[in-house]
Amino acid sequence: MEQYYWDSQIEYLKRSVSLYYNDDYIEFLVKRVWKIDSPVHILDFGCGFGHLGLRLLPLLPEGSKYVGIDAGAKLIEHAKELFKDSPYDTEFLLGDFNTVKIEQKYDIAVCHGVLLHMTDPMFMLNKMIDCVKKEGKVIAFEPHWIGSNASFHFEGIEQSTAIPLGQLQKLFEHDVKSTGKDGNIGLKLPLYFNRLGLHDVQCRVSDKVNILDPAVNRETASKLYEAMQFSNPGNREAFINSLIERGMLPEEAIRQYETEKYLSENFTSSMAATYAAVMKITFGTVR
């Protein structure tokens, strides 16, 4: 049986989620924006190792319940282990949320970094809406990749040398047309939520700006570097061919290979940098 991809990416997922939000911002959303002041029953679509539960449960009223569903057996196993001694009411289900039947009994349906991987994100959004009771909320934390790519600063490196935004945007747009998967979906969700009949639709942006400065704090910078570092693109010919298949011109694919190789070699733990993920947090009410 083919391994579920995200089962092999647990450590990467744990590192990357640290880049998005400050704890006080999540508390602000829960208490001041969503105004959750009584116990809620939450279903997390594509919960991974339960990181949203780890963030939300300490802030929710006592008596709240968090249910996570994911297709990754190792992810679900890891989530159960993380929560086994916690005081919170949690349940983790192994399954494909695209096919499993889900009752309309939840106060909140939520997902984080999931819709961008869906070939038919509207199908999943409808499923999220259908499982929420009247006056409940649907909440999606999703990226706008081109905005995220524009939000790096590397000291001593011109951004245009490291991240060619124009050709990346072209690539992302071609991916949507050919596969349906949309790394820029975060900024489109407010319109999708409106058109699916959700009410009081709003969208916020994640607040955290990561400051990597080894000259000031080497230990903090080292941990942040682990979360931010860029992987080597690997075999040159294979990488370039894969980009051409995704719609890049040969010269664009060559440039993209060279920039990714350059970043993987030159972005080191001794370099100062800043990064803001600018995740889009869209929410609406079921009526």
Side-chain angles (χ1 to χ4, degrees), residues 215-269:
V216 174
N217 190 321
R218 183 163 292 279
E219 183 179 351
T220 300
S222 178
K223 291 178 182 177
L224 189 52
Y225 171 75
E226 288 297 318
M228 286 177 60
Q229 65 180 304
F230 297 85
S231 58
N232 190 290
N235 180 273
R236 186 177 189 275
E237 184 178 359
F239 185 87
I240 290 170
N241 286 339
S242 72
L243 289 177
I244 292 172
E245 288 172 7
R246 288 172 60 191
M248 272 191 172
L249 297 172
E251 59 269 26
E252 293 173 331
I254 292 168
R255 185 185 177 202
Q256 190 62 37
Y257 172 83
E258 295 297 340
T259 57
E260 293 199 25
K261 186 171 184 291
Y262 176 81
L263 259 184
S264 71
E265 293 172 349
N266 288 275
F267 178 55
T268 67
S269 57

Side-chain angles (χ1 to χ4, degrees), residues 10-11 14 48-50 72-84 92:
I10 293 175
E11 292 308 312
K14 290 173 82 169
F49 63 88
K74 289 184 179 178
L75 284 163
I76 291 295
E77 181 183 330
H78 195 74
K80 288 179 178 178
E81 184 65 24
L82 283 175
F83 282 88
K84 72 176 183 180
F92 292 96

Side-chain angles (χ1 to χ4, degrees), residues 41-52:
H41 197 178
I42 297 178
L43 179 59
D44 185 356
F45 284 74
C47 66
F49 63 88
H51 69 93
L52 270 184

Side-chain angles (χ1 to χ4, degrees), residues 131-258:
C131 79
V132 172
K133 297 183 289 188
K134 284 185 179 180
E135 299 306 317
K137 292 191 182 301
V138 176
I139 304 171
F141 298 73
E142 295 289 336
H144 179 231
W145 270 355
I146 199 63
S148 297
N149 276 282
S151 297
F152 283 99
H153 165 67
F154 307 101
E155 190 172 62
I157 296 178
E158 291 185 349
Q159 210 230 26
S160 59
T161 301
I163 304 176
L165 292 171
Q167 65 185 46
L168 281 173
Q169 177 73 337
K170 228 172 95 177
L171 180 68
F172 300 153
E173 290 170 350
H174 188 272
D175 282 344
V176 179
K177 293 175 183 175
S178 61
T179 70
K181 297 180 181 181
D182 189 356
N184 287 330
I185 196 169
L187 207 50
K188 301 173 185 178
L189 285 177
L191 294 177
Y192 294 170
F193 275 39
N194 270 329
R195 290 169 186 174
L196 288 170
L198 290 167
H199 291 256
D200 305 320
V201 174
Q202 296 184 44
C203 184
R204 302 296 173 101
V205 180
S206 64
D207 70 316
K208 192 169 187 178
V209 177
N210 300 279
I211 304 167
L212 191 161
D213 193 352
V216 174
N217 190 321
R218 183 163 292 279
E219 183 179 351
T220 300
S222 178
K223 291 178 182 177
L224 189 52
Y225 171 75
E226 288 297 318
M228 286 177 60
Q229 65 180 304
F230 297 85
S231 58
N232 190 290
N235 180 273
R236 186 177 189 275
E237 184 178 359
F239 185 87
I240 290 170
N241 286 339
S242 72
L243 289 177
I244 292 172
E245 288 172 7
R246 288 172 60 191
M248 272 191 172
L249 297 172
E251 59 269 26
E252 293 173 331
I254 292 168
R255 185 185 177 202
Q256 190 62 37
Y257 172 83
E258 295 297 340

